[in-house]
Tab-separated table of all heavy atoms in Angstrom:
chain	number	residue	atom	x	y	z
A	214	LEU	N	152.937	91.084	91.413
A	214	LEU	CA	151.675	91.558	90.774
A	214	LEU	C	151.840	92.916	90.173
A	214	LEU	O	151.248	93.162	88.991
A	214	LEU	CB	150.604	91.647	91.893
A	214	LEU	CG	149.188	91.367	91.484
A	214	LEU	CD1	148.964	89.947	90.979
A	214	LEU	CD2	148.172	91.622	92.633
A	215	LEU	N	152.444	93.813	90.791
A	215	LEU	CA	152.723	95.168	90.214
A	215	LEU	C	153.573	95.057	88.964
A	215	LEU	O	153.331	95.740	88.016
A	215	LEU	CB	153.371	96.029	91.329
A	215	LEU	CG	153.465	97.515	90.964
A	215	LEU	CD1	152.083	98.100	90.920
A	215	LEU	CD2	154.300	98.254	91.995
A	216	ASP	N	154.557	94.216	89.059
A	216	ASP	CA	155.459	94.005	87.845
A	216	ASP	C	154.573	93.477	86.641
A	216	ASP	O	154.759	93.877	85.544
A	216	ASP	CB	156.524	93.003	88.117
A	216	ASP	CG	157.544	93.662	89.181
A	216	ASP	OD1	157.552	94.815	89.297
A	216	ASP	OD2	158.283	92.798	89.774
A	217	ALA	N	153.639	92.548	86.992
A	217	ALA	CA	152.828	92.014	85.895
A	217	ALA	C	151.890	93.133	85.370
A	217	ALA	O	151.657	93.213	84.150
A	217	ALA	CB	151.978	90.855	86.498
A	218	ALA	N	151.361	93.887	86.267
A	218	ALA	CA	150.450	95.034	85.790
A	218	ALA	C	151.206	95.951	84.897
A	218	ALA	O	150.699	96.416	83.885
A	218	ALA	CB	149.921	95.788	87.071
A	219	ARG	N	152.459	96.271	85.285
A	219	ARG	CA	153.308	97.135	84.486
A	219	ARG	C	153.515	96.528	83.006
A	219	ARG	O	153.560	97.213	82.038
A	219	ARG	CB	154.635	97.415	85.134
A	219	ARG	CG	155.677	97.952	84.208
A	219	ARG	CD	156.851	98.457	84.977
A	219	ARG	NE	156.683	99.858	85.224
A	219	ARG	CZ	157.465	100.555	86.040
A	219	ARG	NH1	158.455	100.036	86.710
A	219	ARG	NH2	157.265	101.905	86.289
A	220	ARG	N	153.667	95.163	83.021
A	220	ARG	CA	153.872	94.472	81.680
A	220	ARG	C	152.629	94.434	80.929
A	220	ARG	O	152.639	94.019	79.711
A	220	ARG	CB	154.372	93.060	81.940
A	220	ARG	CG	155.861	93.021	82.456
A	220	ARG	CD	156.438	91.604	82.323
A	220	ARG	NE	155.592	90.664	83.111
A	220	ARG	CZ	155.823	90.349	84.370
A	220	ARG	NH1	156.907	90.915	85.012
A	220	ARG	NH2	155.092	89.506	84.949
A	221	GLY	N	151.455	94.779	81.471
A	221	GLY	CA	150.242	94.788	80.709
A	221	GLY	C	149.277	93.737	80.962
A	221	GLY	O	148.295	93.492	80.244
A	222	SER	N	149.508	92.843	82.010
A	222	SER	CA	148.666	91.763	82.404
A	222	SER	C	147.243	92.350	82.686
A	222	SER	O	147.122	93.436	83.297
A	222	SER	CB	149.086	91.034	83.605
A	222	SER	OG	150.316	90.420	83.259
A	223	THR	N	146.211	91.598	82.333
A	223	THR	CA	144.846	92.048	82.632
A	223	THR	C	144.543	91.729	84.060
A	223	THR	O	145.247	90.945	84.810
A	223	THR	CB	143.881	91.267	81.684
A	223	THR	OG1	143.966	89.876	82.071
A	223	THR	CG2	144.227	91.432	80.246
A	224	PHE	N	143.424	92.257	84.484
A	224	PHE	CA	142.975	92.042	85.880
A	224	PHE	C	142.783	90.588	86.137
A	224	PHE	O	143.167	89.973	87.172
A	224	PHE	CB	141.727	92.849	86.196
A	224	PHE	CG	141.274	92.713	87.545
A	224	PHE	CD1	142.008	93.312	88.650
A	224	PHE	CD2	140.184	91.970	87.981
A	224	PHE	CE1	141.609	93.248	89.954
A	224	PHE	CE2	139.715	91.851	89.268
A	224	PHE	CZ	140.529	92.535	90.286
A	225	GLY	N	142.197	89.906	85.136
A	225	GLY	CA	142.000	88.426	85.241
A	225	GLY	C	143.309	87.699	85.404
A	225	GLY	O	143.401	86.797	86.186
A	226	GLU	N	144.314	88.171	84.637
A	226	GLU	CA	145.619	87.473	84.730
A	226	GLU	C	146.281	87.814	86.089
A	226	GLU	O	146.987	86.911	86.655
A	226	GLU	CB	146.543	87.922	83.605
A	226	GLU	CG	146.114	87.383	82.266
A	226	GLU	CD	146.748	88.097	81.063
A	226	GLU	OE1	147.212	89.257	81.235
A	226	GLU	OE2	146.722	87.595	79.955
A	227	LEU	N	146.021	88.979	86.612
A	227	LEU	CA	146.616	89.271	87.928
A	227	LEU	C	145.890	88.389	89.003
A	227	LEU	O	146.593	87.922	89.933
A	227	LEU	CB	146.332	90.756	88.298
A	227	LEU	CG	146.961	91.812	87.363
A	227	LEU	CD1	146.596	93.211	87.851
A	227	LEU	CD2	148.483	91.596	87.304
A	228	CYS	N	144.612	88.131	88.873
A	228	CYS	CA	143.957	87.245	89.793
A	228	CYS	C	144.556	85.861	89.773
A	228	CYS	O	144.740	85.216	90.753
A	228	CYS	CB	142.477	87.235	89.500
A	228	CYS	SG	141.622	88.713	89.911
A	229	GLU	N	144.742	85.416	88.531
A	229	GLU	CA	145.352	84.050	88.297
A	229	GLU	C	146.689	83.971	88.993
A	229	GLU	O	147.075	82.946	89.528
A	229	GLU	CB	145.462	83.694	86.882
A	229	GLU	CG	144.158	83.406	86.216
A	229	GLU	CD	144.319	83.190	84.735
A	229	GLU	OE1	145.416	82.913	84.190
A	229	GLU	OE2	143.245	83.422	83.977
A	230	GLN	N	147.443	85.057	88.881
A	230	GLN	CA	148.828	85.054	89.353
A	230	GLN	C	148.836	84.853	90.870
A	230	GLN	O	149.755	84.233	91.367
A	230	GLN	CB	149.483	86.350	88.985
A	230	GLN	CG	150.974	86.372	89.286
A	230	GLN	CD	151.728	87.540	88.641
A	230	GLN	OE1	151.376	87.937	87.551
A	230	GLN	NE2	152.637	88.103	89.386
A	231	ILE	N	147.930	85.509	91.594
A	231	ILE	CA	148.038	85.344	93.069
A	231	ILE	C	147.150	84.215	93.614
A	231	ILE	O	147.320	83.932	94.768
A	231	ILE	CB	147.503	86.662	93.807
A	231	ILE	CG1	146.067	86.964	93.556
A	231	ILE	CG2	148.357	87.898	93.440
A	231	ILE	CD1	145.476	88.052	94.473
Side-chain angles (χ1 to χ4, degrees):
Chain A
L214 210 64
L215 190 64
D216 293 341
R219 165 169 265 169
R220 288 193 301 269
S222 293
T223 63
F224 184 72
E226 289 164 340
L227 298 181
C228 290
E229 283 172 26
Q230 188 170 320
I231 65 167

